Amino acid sequence: MYGVVAFSGNNTITQQDSAYSQEFAETGRLDFRGGTTTINHTGRLSYGLLRIEQMPTDGIAAGLRVSGGAKVNITTNNAIFPTVGLGITQIDIESKGAGSSLTLNAGGHIFDVTGTVGSKTVASDGGSINVTKGTNFYQNGTTNRLISATNECHSK
């Protein structure tokens, strides 16, 4: 629960709907460190992609981190972050580094939780984030489509 699940290389993960289909992971953070990863997640009822119960012990915020030129595409039929444990004040979504990209396609909310006022969504140092589908970043609001953030990296 305090851990980090790290991906590198090329990965395709499909979780299909079944009686036991819940979250993709219950951990502090998913790190993508190079390569291409595609996650197709179908959870039952209100189970979304990532359930965070504890902050990671490495001192870096909970959430999703894409770096090292990784290309990540996540599709879920529900929320990206469906619920969190008490005391989780920050959940970050970050794409950092030239060529790094994160695409989120959520059938529900990006954050289906409240109280994460310290959370941030950041594309930096040449990374990009695209939200092709998802209902608001918090519990109230309308459907957001085609949200994108890109930070171009310029060297001198």
Side-chain angles (χ1 to χ4, degrees), residues 2-142:
Y2 296 95
V4 174
V5 178
F7 297 86
S8 62
N10 297 325
N11 309 284
T12 300
I13 302 159
T14 301
Q15 179 180 341
Q16 297 184 7
D17 187 21
S18 73
Y20 302 103
S21 178
Q22 297 182 3
E23 297 92 351
F24 172 73
E26 294 183 22
T27 189
R29 188 175 63 251
L30 299 181
D31 276 2
F32 301 92
R33 303 173 180 171
T36 301
T37 298
T38 300
I39 298 173
N40 295 303
H41 167 264
T42 304
R44 285 263 165 144
L45 305 171
S46 63
Y47 293 108
L49 182 79
L50 185 61
R51 181 183 178 104
I52 298 172
E53 290 293 329
Q54 305 289 338
M55 293 297 286
T57 57
D58 63 4
I60 300 172
L64 301 172
R65 293 186 80 209
V66 179
S67 62
K71 302 197 179 336
V72 179
N73 188 335
I74 297 173
T75 300
T76 182
N77 65 320
N78 211 321
I80 299 294
F81 301 103
T83 186
V84 297
L86 296 174
I88 305 295
T89 58
Q90 183 172 349
I91 301 172
D92 291 351
I93 300 172
E94 181 179 23
S95 180
K96 181 178 183 177
S100 296
S101 67
L102 172 62
T103 299
L104 300 175
N105 183 4
H109 301 291
I110 302 301
F111 292 102
D112 197 9
V113 295
T114 57
T116 54
V117 294
S119 299
K120 62 186 176 193
T121 301
V122 177
S124 64
D125 300 327
S128 68
I129 297 172
N130 295 297
V131 179
T132 58
K133 180 181 176 188
T135 54
N136 247 343
F137 272 75
Y138 289 94
Q139 290 182 339
N140 298 315
T142 58

Side-chain angles (χ1 to χ4, degrees), residues 136-154:
N136 247 343
F137 272 75
Y138 289 94
Q139 290 182 339
N140 298 315
T142 58
T143 298
N144 295 322
R145 292 186 182 273
L146 300 176
I147 298 168
S148 63
T150 302
N151 180 293
E152 296 299 327
C153 180
H154 300 284

